[in-house]
Amino acid sequence: MIKMEIFLENTFLEEGQTEINRIKLRKFQEDLYKIIRKKGETDKIIIKAPTGSGKTFSLLILLIDALDNKLPVVGMYPSRVLVYDQGKSVLNTLKNMNFKISEGNNFYEVKGEFEIKNNEEVERKTAEFYLAMLTSKTKDEVFAKVNELWGKNLLILTVPEYPYLFLTKLGLSNVISQIFEATTKYSTREAIDKLNIPKQPISRISNLFARIFNGYWFIDEFHLYSGISRSSLNALIKAFDFWNERNPIKKPIIFSSATPTNIQGYSLEVKTSKEGSKIKKETKIVFHLVSGNPQEELVNNIPQKIENQTGIILDRVYYISQLCQKNWEEKPALVWGLDKDYGNCVKTDKIENQKIIIGNQALSFGIDVPNLDKGYIFAHDAETLIQRFGRFGRKGEGSAEVHIFLEGKYKTIKTLNEYKEKKKDYETFLDLIRKIYDKRVDDKLDQLTFSKEREKAILSAVEIIYAIEQGKDFVRSVIQDMPKSNIRIRPSTEDYFRLFSLRPGGIEGKICNSDYDEFFTLLRNFEYNLNDQCFNLEKPIKESPYIKISAYEVRTCELITIERFYNYKPILVFRNQKQQIYLRQLKELEGSYVILIKKSCFENPGEWEDQRRMAELVATYESALPVYADKENFIALALFI
């Protein structure tokens, strides 16, 4: 192992002239406030800013403007963990601004005053609003409270499933399923004429959508969405646009991203500076260049004695399980996708006071832990590394130290040698990272026919609801007459809602002597007991499963039922466990759908030119498995929906 060090100097952002409750805004926050105040001039604002620059405060800037018309402000985050973390951050900020907050479980009543001072001008706004955190874990009564409070000032922190959660909690999923079904049989206009649903439930959905989409939206970490999730978010944004085109008050969507995006709109790019408001401490960065597996080397070389609050971020659940079996002085906090403790680690949302915090991608998203000044991280690509590095050394005085484990390639060593003299500024550090790491791979799953047809069906359903509620003749001239969606689904109400909801999936596997959790995460990281058909969490294993079929020619690029896929006699092969099972025997996959993907599914294949490599890569994070006729003959990637 070779160790190489570079030093990052303090990083600042330019400050503005505006203060809110004696908190001085950074220049980009001030610019955002000015843009928002000019109502109707833009509907998309893209904030490209470094991690830790204070994008969350943008929520309060939006809220101050929304107080005038009592529209909700919605902060949307990629994970449930991040919703709760951002909720804590916002509540702490409000307390520091002398707001009174009534305690609650994911629901708070907030009272106080905003004082906006710019030079000699002072504006005061009395603020009474409700803050709600809405995820799949939020109790039904919180959704009921929010539903009663439309028209009051609301600050909602949630996940992109936001509309679908309300449809479920309010008992409207059956009605929306009938509409989704109609989009697969008729064009939009035909569906409007042929649907025979009573007006009352349509009105309830229409009123719900009018409220859900009638507000200021802040979409955080936009650059981290990929695949089917990105396609789903695109559909949600189109639905927002549709509803707001027919509304006299124009509301913006703010997109927060650490890297450039393909969204068109007003770009607010934030540059670091030599002085102003500090966002990053001086940081010693130690690169550990290894000849083997960097994640394995990290696990094997991390010191057992931890003096400062320390964060450890890896990719693979298997390596997290190895860390959690170490005898730490204190039980580490665990932030990962599985909904349970593991070994000596404790799964918790309250991580800010934990001495050791261990996690994977769930810990990479915008988690803000004060005094997290020591880190050990691994990342596959530049974007992920920058995101993970941004968790450390964010506040206060002193310095930080971050250890980065990566492969010791000759090119990497040569590049680091060029950068090791003197302290570097943040922009130079980013330049270095982009030289020694590959770019994040675009899996293009949002370009699949299924993804495009699904987006079309979701928007068509929104138009149908609007048309029936407003009156068919009135809206014929304003809707798009979309052709029917070419997605074939079993005639099941549950299936229509499940497949058209924002993140289709939810395939769960059985844990031995326990409950259920995410099937593909278990499949890749724990031993499978063939006899009891369950996963043994006491035996972690680095598994690279694949499917073997007897056919060389298969139907690709379209959604098929699992029953149809069974015609190829698929066998699930556990490479490292040296065992296999007929896919038909797995109860977990009953009722699912499959898309067999190869480069011919994409108009511009890009990275899919190397089909085998891409299939193996996507199978490490999606609900997907590579399919082979034998060890050498790659057939397709099976994506399970």
Side-chain angles (χ1 to χ4, degrees):
M1 183 189 298
I2 301 171
K3 292 184 183 179
M4 302 184 75
E5 298 177 358
I6 67 167
F7 293 86
L8 180 66
E9 62 189 22
N10 286 323
T11 305
F12 301 88
L13 288 184
E14 184 181 354
E15 291 183 332
Q17 301 299 314
T18 305
E19 291 183 1
I20 297 179
N21 292 42
R22 299 184 180 180
I23 297 174
K24 196 164 191 179
L25 297 190
R26 289 160 182 166
K27 182 66 167 60
F28 86 91
Q29 295 169 335
E30 182 180 72
D31 290 343
L32 176 65
Y33 185 59
K34 290 176 181 176
I35 295 165
I36 296 298
R37 301 277 285 179
K38 296 176 182 176
K39 293 179 175 60
E41 289 198 4
T42 181
D43 60 350
K44 302 281 194 307
I45 301 169
I46 301 98
I47 302 175
K48 179 180 177 262
T51 303
S53 57
K55 297 187 288 292
T56 302
F57 200 81
S58 305
L59 281 172
L60 297 181
I61 291 171
L62 292 171
L63 178 67
I64 291 169
D65 194 64
L67 291 172
D68 295 336
N69 45 37
K70 296 189 176 179
L71 295 176
V73 173
V74 179
M76 203 169 285
Y77 303 92
S79 71
R80 187 171 65 238
V81 173
L82 189 50
V83 168
Y84 299 133
D85 182 77
Q86 294 299 302
K88 280 183 260 180
S89 178
V90 171
L91 288 168
N92 287 335
T93 300
L94 289 167
K95 286 175 184 175
N96 292 335
M97 297 167 82
N98 294 320
F99 277 78
K100 293 181 180 178
I101 301 168
S102 67
E103 294 299 322
N105 184 11
N106 294 337
F107 184 85
Y108 305 84
E109 186 175 0
V110 185
K111 294 181 180 180
E113 182 182 71
F114 287 111
E115 181 188 82
I116 304 100
K117 185 177 180 181
N118 190 308
N119 296 324
E120 298 304 316
E121 294 182 18
V122 178
E123 180 184 6
R124 289 184 173 85
K125 283 192 174 186
T126 300
E128 294 185 15
F129 61 94
Y130 300 90
L131 187 153
M133 303 176 209
L134 304 179
T135 74
S136 59
K137 297 293 184 182
T138 302
K139 292 181 178 179
D140 291 2
E141 55 259 35
V142 176
F143 282 91
K145 282 181 183 177
V146 173
N147 196 45
E148 293 167 3
L149 290 168
W150 296 117
K152 304 283 187 180
N153 290 120
L154 287 167
L155 176 57
I156 296 169
L157 308 182
T158 188
V159 288
E161 289 88 348
Y162 175 47
Y164 303 89
L165 289 171
F166 264 106
L167 288 167
T168 302
K169 301 291 185 180
L170 300 181
L172 296 168
S173 58
N174 182 58
V175 179
I176 197 76
S177 292
Q178 292 178 58
I179 296 167
F180 281 143
E181 182 179 5
T183 67
T184 66
K185 295 179 178 178
Y186 311 112
S187 69
T188 306
R189 288 187 180 175
E190 288 173 333
I192 291 167
D193 290 330
K194 292 180 181 292
L195 270 170
N196 188 25
I197 301 174
K199 185 76 178 286
Q200 185 180 8
I202 291 287
S203 294
R204 286 187 68 197
I205 295 175
S206 181
N207 290 336
L208 179 65
F209 280 8
R211 293 162 174 170
I212 282 175
F213 293 112
N214 187 31
Y216 298 54
W217 281 19
F218 176 85
I219 299 179
D220 201 16
E221 312 291 3
F222 181 75
H223 59 289
L224 294 180
Y225 288 88
S226 62
I228 302 297
S229 291
R230 183 167 58 196
S231 171
S232 297
L233 194 59
N234 289 339
L236 194 61
I237 292 165
K238 288 175 183 176
F240 178 96
D241 287 342
F242 173 85
W243 225 267
N244 280 282
E245 282 169 9
R246 289 145 186 84
N247 197 301
I249 303 175
K250 196 166 189 176
K251 284 85 56 185
I253 300 184
I254 314 296
F255 296 89
S256 159
S257 179
T259 58
T261 75
N262 59 356
I263 291 289
Q264 298 299 309
Y266 182 89
S267 180
L268 197 58
E269 188 165 354
V270 183
K271 295 287 188 182
T272 57
S273 60
K274 296 290 184 182
E275 57 184 20
S277 176
K278 187 162 71 173
I279 65 165
K280 176 74 70 177
K281 299 176 183 177
E282 285 189 356
T283 304
K284 175 183 176 181
I285 306 164
V286 183
F287 289 94
H288 298 254
L289 305 165
V290 305
S291 57
N293 185 314
Q295 293 188 84
E296 197 167 287
E297 294 291 340
L298 189 159
V299 171
N300 292 335
N301 287 281
I302 196 164
Q304 288 296 104
K305 189 173 179 60
I306 298 293
E307 296 180 358
N308 302 320
Q309 192 174 33
T310 299
I312 307 165
I313 312 178
L314 305 126
D315 271 351
R316 187 150 194 168
V317 166
Y318 169 79
Y319 292 113
I320 292 176
S321 73
Q322 300 297 296
L323 283 172
C324 287
Q325 292 180 57
K326 288 179 178 285
N327 294 316
W328 302 97
E329 291 178 301
E330 296 181 22
K331 284 184 176 291
L334 181 59
V335 183
W336 65 346
L338 297 178
D339 197 19
K340 56 177 71 275
D341 301 341
Y342 190 86
N344 294 319
C345 296
V346 180
K347 168 92 173 184
T348 177
D349 293 326
K350 298 176 181 178
I351 62 174
E352 59 272 14
N353 296 319
Q354 301 292 324
K355 191 170 185 181
I356 307 164
I357 305 165
I358 297 173
N360 54 5
Q361 189 68 339
L363 184 55
S364 302
F365 296 137
I367 302 295
D368 189 6
V369 179
N371 306 314
L372 191 60
D373 290 339
K374 192 158 188 178
Y376 293 83
I377 57 180
F378 164 81
H380 273 295
D381 55 66
E383 287 77 13
T384 303
L385 189 281
I386 292 166
Q387 194 73 25
R388 293 179 179 180
F389 179 80
R391 301 305 106 219
F392 303 96
R394 291 161 67 103
K395 293 184 178 179
E397 299 303 317
S399 61
E401 182 175 309
V402 178
H403 295 256
I404 300 172
F405 285 73
L406 70 164
E407 289 183 41
K409 298 176 182 176
Y410 171 76
K411 178 185 172 184
T412 303
I413 297 171
K414 183 180 177 183
T415 304
L416 282 169
N417 270 320
E418 295 170 1
Y419 280 76
K420 68 180 182 181
E421 299 299 326
K422 298 181 182 179
K423 289 181 181 177
K424 306 301 177 187
D425 61 31
Y426 188 72
E427 298 299 329
T428 305
F429 169 70
L430 294 184
D431 181 56
L432 167 64
I433 294 305
R434 288 170 182 143
K435 283 183 179 178
I436 63 177
Y437 278 89
D438 294 329
K439 284 185 177 181
R440 195 169 187 222
V441 171
D442 182 3
D443 58 32
K444 288 184 173 286
L445 299 187
D446 58 333
Q447 298 301 309
L448 291 172
T449 301
F450 166 74
S451 300
K452 292 179 178 178
E453 292 292 310
R454 185 166 154 270
E455 281 185 41
K456 186 172 71 177
I458 292 170
L459 186 56
S460 180
V462 168
E463 291 189 334
I464 289 166
I465 292 163
Y466 182 82
I468 294 176
E469 168 64 11
Q470 297 295 322
K472 300 175 185 179
D473 295 332
F474 173 72
V475 296
R476 283 185 187 279
S477 60
V478 297
I479 65 168
Q480 301 177 55
D481 187 23
M482 294 187 187
K484 68 179 182 180
S485 171
N486 291 316
I487 298 179
R488 297 173 185 172
I489 304 176
R490 301 182 193 93
S492 159
T493 298
E494 182 181 335
D495 275 19
Y496 280 104
F497 187 76
R498 185 163 57 89
L499 262 74
F500 287 104
S501 63
L502 194 71
R503 294 186 199 174
I507 299 173
E508 294 193 323
K510 180 76 174 72
I511 298 171
C512 300
N513 303 315
S514 185
D515 50 8
Y516 291 81
D517 218 311
E518 208 281 318
F519 174 75
F520 286 90
T521 299
L522 296 170
L523 182 64
R524 290 188 284 258
N525 295 287
F526 297 100
E527 183 182 89
Y528 187 71
N529 184 317
L530 281 176
N531 293 327
D532 297 328
Q533 292 196 11
C534 61
F535 292 95
N536 187 351
L537 261 60
E538 294 181 2
K539 294 186 178 179
I541 187 168
K542 281 192 301 180
E543 189 55 86
S544 300
Y546 68 94
I547 292 172
K548 182 171 65 177
I549 62 175
S550 55
Y552 279 80
E553 294 297 325
V554 297
R555 200 174 188 92
T556 57
C557 309
E558 66 180 60
L559 190 76
I560 61 173
T561 63
I562 189 71
E563 293 81 10
R564 190 170 175 183
F565 186 51
Y566 290 155
N567 292 336
Y568 299 125
K569 298 182 175 58
I571 297 171
L572 176 59
V573 179
F574 299 83
R575 278 190 178 107
N576 296 328
Q577 295 168 69
K578 294 181 171 51
Q579 62 184 21
Q580 58 187 36
I581 184 173
Y582 278 102
L583 215 61
R584 188 185 289 274
Q585 293 178 249
L586 291 177
K587 295 177 182 177
E588 292 91 340
L589 299 179
E590 288 178 1
S592 63
Y593 292 82
V594 183
I595 308 172
L596 293 168
I597 303 167
K598 56 199 309 185
K599 69 179 181 182
S600 58
C601 299
F602 304 97
E603 188 175 338
N604 298 302
E607 297 282 347
W608 279 93
E609 288 292 352
D610 188 340
Q611 299 180 124
R612 181 170 181 158
R613 185 188 72 86
M614 273 301 289
E616 295 283 355
L617 174 63
V618 176
T620 64
Y621 62 87
E622 282 282 4
S623 301
L625 293 166
V627 181
Y628 294 91
D630 53 54
K631 286 184 179 180
E632 299 302 322
N633 288 292
F634 170 79
I635 300 294
L637 174 72
L639 178 67
F640 293 85
I641 303 291

